[in-house]
Amino acid sequence: MSVQPERPPRTAMQGQTAMQRRAVARVHPELLSAFESLPQFSDPYEDIQAAREGFDAMLAAVPADRTGVDSERFEFPRADGSALTVEVYRPEGGAGSGGGEDAAPGRDLRAAENGAGRALPAVLHFHGGGYALGRSLPGQDHAAIALCRELPAVVITVEYRLAPEHRYPAGVEDCYLALEWAAERAGELGIDRARIALAGKSAGGGLSAAVALMARDRGGPAIVHQSLCVPDLDDRVGADEAADAEGAGGEGADAGSADGQGALGARVTTGRSVRRSWEHYLPVGTAAADAYAAAARAGDLSGLPPAYVLVCDLDPMRDAGLAYARRLMDAGVPVTVRNVPGAWHGFELFAPETRVAKEMAAHWTGQLRAALYPVVG
């Protein structure tokens, strides 16, 4: 009697086209199981309210660990009289306890335990979410809490107005207003005004780049560093895919992309989905964004603060991020660049315990810490 060999388990590589197999093969080996478990990608703009409610439910299911961190919410008026809300995260017993502006710029203040009684650097942290969602629950911003504790720093999150109800320039003007507010109240908040940084992921990275431009052009508060993590800063991303879709009657454009990105696109962010976010963020009828909407459109990048640009290998925004980093370098701006191989946009949300995700977070945090706590002779 013959014995049939045991059939190997089915994986994401089986039952697929050659292009799909090549695309999946680009995923980092440590991330493959997380990739295989991803749900089908859904367009949040089909029902933006439902997408926001689903995001809030996901956040509520995983409360943040606030150990060692306090936070306080503030409201202040916009030009139209409506209120902008920010949340200020501080190390317990640290910033805001009278340090004010007495600290010398650039001095490493970590020698004082938790910064107690001393001014701390500040990070304006702008959340991601395609300019349309992504706002944390009150007191629950995981990224802000981690930065506050690990740097340490005063971290200010901004509840900027969201698209499509509030299109550009509402969101970025809110972020710039928050920067001005933080600088003006530096003494009260325990902030060293000479050490203010901007940071954000995805749309938050795009907003950080735009606010840096605005501060330069408007003679605004000094910024010591801009941290751009997988930044969404170019409205032209996805234009080629959109053109392909039109030429194909709107069908199969993703699957036909030359590099196989479309084979990944049923599960991850693609250029077409990025383009959808810009369609909802920019004013109706906009043919080309201006520089404060899409920083990649800026003609002059000189005089901007030193930057950190992190991209992911399988992210449709990778090339735009790398091009922006190169242009910053060419303009004389100090830039540190890091690419995460085999990773897609937002992979760390689905594989937070992997070495790849932890190394990415450590590098991002380390670069921000080095900018805020420079080594001086």
Side-chain angles (χ1 to χ4, degrees), residues 2-7:
S2 63
V3 178
Q4 295 294 324
E6 184 177 352
R7 180 175 297 176

Side-chain angles (χ1 to χ4, degrees), residues 45 130-131 167-168 206 232-237 271-283 286 289-290 292-295 317:
Y45 296 98
Y131 301 100
R167 293 175 181 263
Y168 171 80
D232 187 1
L233 44 65
D234 194 337
D235 62 302
R236 293 163 291 193
V237 170
R272 290 179 68 189
S273 55
V274 174
R275 193 159 182 84
R276 284 277 283 164
S277 73
W278 284 101
E279 290 170 354
H280 287 76
Y281 177 55
L282 297 175
T286 300
D290 67 34
Y292 297 158
M317 293 181 274

Side-chain angles (χ1 to χ4, degrees), residues 38-58:
L38 288 175
Q40 290 291 301
F41 185 84
S42 59
D43 181 358
Y45 296 98
E46 293 294 337
D47 187 340
I48 190 64
Q49 189 57 41
R52 290 171 182 165
E53 291 172 358
F55 184 77
D56 288 347
M58 180 180 70

Side-chain angles (χ1 to χ4, degrees), residues 21-279:
R21 288 195 295 272
R22 287 196 299 271
V24 173
R26 296 172 61 197
V27 176
H28 191 289
E30 192 183 4
L31 303 177
L32 190 56
S33 62
F35 175 79
E36 291 175 350
S37 67
L38 288 175
Q40 290 291 301
F41 185 84
S42 59
D43 181 358
Y45 296 98
E46 293 294 337
D47 187 340
I48 190 64
Q49 189 57 41
R52 290 171 182 165
E53 291 172 358
F55 184 77
D56 288 347
M58 180 180 70
L59 293 179
V62 187
D65 175 9
R66 289 171 51 94
T67 303
V69 174
D70 292 323
S71 69
E72 184 176 3
R73 294 171 69 79
F74 296 88
E75 289 187 352
F76 48 93
R78 302 183 179 94
D80 64 3
S82 62
L84 173 60
T85 301
V86 301
E87 186 146 8
V88 179
Y89 292 84
R90 305 181 182 90
E92 284 183 353
S97 58
E101 302 173 39
D102 296 333
R107 185 177 178 185
D108 189 337
L109 303 178
R110 287 177 293 169
E113 183 178 358
N114 293 327
R118 312 290 290 275
L120 289 172
V123 178
L124 272 290
H125 180 261
F126 309 132
H127 68 79
Y131 301 100
L133 62 157
R135 183 178 293 167
S136 67
L137 301 176
Q140 293 289 305
D141 192 303
H142 291 248
I145 290 169
L147 290 176
C148 177
R149 193 161 43 217
E150 295 172 21
L151 292 175
V154 177
V155 182
I156 302 170
T157 61
V158 184
E159 296 186 2
Y160 58 85
R161 287 169 289 182
L162 300 175
E165 298 93 333
H166 304 282
R167 293 175 181 263
Y168 171 80
V172 71
E173 289 290 355
D174 284 351
C175 293
Y176 183 75
L177 180 62
L179 170 64
E180 290 187 314
W181 176 86
E184 290 169 359
R185 301 187 63 174
E188 178 182 345
L189 298 173
I191 291 171
D192 177 359
R193 193 157 47 193
R195 292 184 295 159
I196 297 177
L198 307 174
K201 292 184 178 180
S202 194
L207 289 166
S208 296
V211 171
L213 286 166
M214 295 168 79
R216 180 199 66 181
D217 296 346
R218 297 178 179 181
I223 298 167
V224 72
H225 184 73
Q226 52 179 324
S227 182
L228 316 180
C229 187
V230 292
D232 187 1
L233 44 65
D234 194 337
D235 62 302
R236 293 163 291 193
V237 170
D240 291 343
E241 289 183 28
D244 289 344
E246 291 176 4
E251 298 180 1
D254 280 344
S257 58
D259 65 355
Q261 174 70 34
L264 300 171
R267 298 183 179 186
V268 303
T269 300
T270 65
R272 290 179 68 189
S273 55
V274 174
R275 193 159 182 84
R276 284 277 283 164
S277 73
W278 284 101
E279 290 170 354

